[in-house]
Amino acid sequence: MVDTKNGGSPLATPVTDLISGTAAGITICLTGHPFDTVKVRLQTQPSGANRLFRNGLDCALQTVRKEGSRALYKGLGSPLLTVPLVNAVVFSSYEHGKRLFASPDMTLTRSQIVLAGTYSGFVNSFVVGPVELVKARLQIQYNAPPSKSTYKGPLDCVLKILRSRGWRGLFKGMVPTILREIPAYASQFLVYEFLKDYLLRRSGKKALPNMT
């Protein structure tokens, strides 16, 4: 049981959550994007005799050798620019979920935390779905000069998808995105609340400092 009245899980810390979440998100983007590029290229390459890469290491080495090290960061713009938006949606929808599912005395059980996290993941899917679609399309532009690339950047990619497929084209692949986001955020916030409650009990304080 987490008490939201006595610091265990404050219902409104939007500025702190947004700043810390954005900083973490930018760090994850910068460090993890090359691995994501390799993953996307392996997932989308032809199969059988026409495959382009033997494994992840071969994909990374070929990408750097043929396109330069910057190619590992193709498609970084859309997730990097939307980190504040994604975190605003995640934390605001989680706070809204806590209000929806909290007990009348404003305490939260583990099940209610999972429900709030599930709600947050569902809402966030409609933000990250289009962002990741644009990212992936830019990542699989192989060794093409800008003048011959299908997309010149994130905005050009969005506009071309809208012109060719309409707004629904931005939401292709939403079902697997939702199935990924729901358990991810349900478990993330359950661990988050558990650790926060543990640190509060250990410190004997009513609220944790912002840097904790």
Side-chain angles (χ1 to χ4, degrees):
M1 183 77 69
V2 175
D3 185 356
T4 64
K5 295 186 295 182
N6 297 317
S9 175
L11 287 177
T13 56
V15 176
T16 301
D17 287 341
L18 180 59
I19 293 173
S20 58
T22 297
I26 290 173
T27 302
I28 291 170
C29 280
L30 294 176
T31 57
H33 195 82
F35 299 98
D36 188 72
T37 297
V38 170
K39 179 203 72 173
V40 169
R41 290 192 167 195
L42 289 173
Q43 288 175 327
T44 57
Q45 70 171 333
S47 59
N50 295 321
R51 69 177 184 171
L52 303 173
F53 315 109
R54 295 191 303 273
N55 49 49
L57 179 60
D58 182 53
C59 177
L61 292 175
Q62 283 199 50
T63 298
V64 172
R65 185 167 59 249
K66 295 178 181 179
E67 304 173 58
S69 58
R70 292 179 62 182
L72 293 173
Y73 287 91
K74 281 186 174 181
L76 178 63
S78 57
L80 193 62
L81 291 174
T82 53
V83 164
L85 173 62
V86 168
N87 280 284
V89 170
V90 166
F91 284 102
S92 61
S93 58
Y94 177 60
E95 292 297 328
H96 184 231
K98 287 200 292 186
R99 290 186 174 90
L100 286 176
F101 301 115
S103 303
D105 60 352
M106 300 311 294
T107 57
L108 289 165
T109 63
R110 291 187 179 90
S111 296
Q112 289 167 327
I113 292 170
V114 168
L115 285 173
T118 296
Y119 176 78
S120 175
F122 177 77
V123 173
N124 189 53
S125 299
F126 293 89
V127 178
V128 298
V131 169
E132 292 188 346
L133 175 69
V134 171
K135 172 187 68 67
R137 293 204 175 189
L138 293 172
Q139 285 173 318
I140 58 175
Q141 292 193 128
Y142 294 99
N143 200 26
S147 60
K148 295 184 179 180
S149 297
T150 304
Y151 309 112
K152 297 177 182 178
L155 180 58
D156 182 56
C157 182
V158 170
L159 293 176
K160 286 181 175 177
I161 292 172
L162 290 174
R163 281 197 295 267
S164 62
R165 299 180 179 272
W167 64 268
R168 290 186 179 181
L170 291 172
F171 292 92
K172 291 187 71 175
M174 281 302 298
V175 172
T177 300
I178 291 171
L179 293 177
R180 181 197 65 189
E181 294 294 290
I182 283 178
Y185 282 105
S187 57
Q188 174 182 312
F189 282 114
L190 181 63
V191 174
Y192 169 76
E193 295 291 358
F194 172 80
L195 291 176
K196 184 190 290 186
D197 191 50
Y198 170 77
L199 291 172
L200 281 168
R201 293 177 186 277
R202 186 175 180 181
S203 67
K205 298 178 181 178
K206 290 187 177 181
L208 293 172
N210 290 338
M211 295 302 293
T212 301

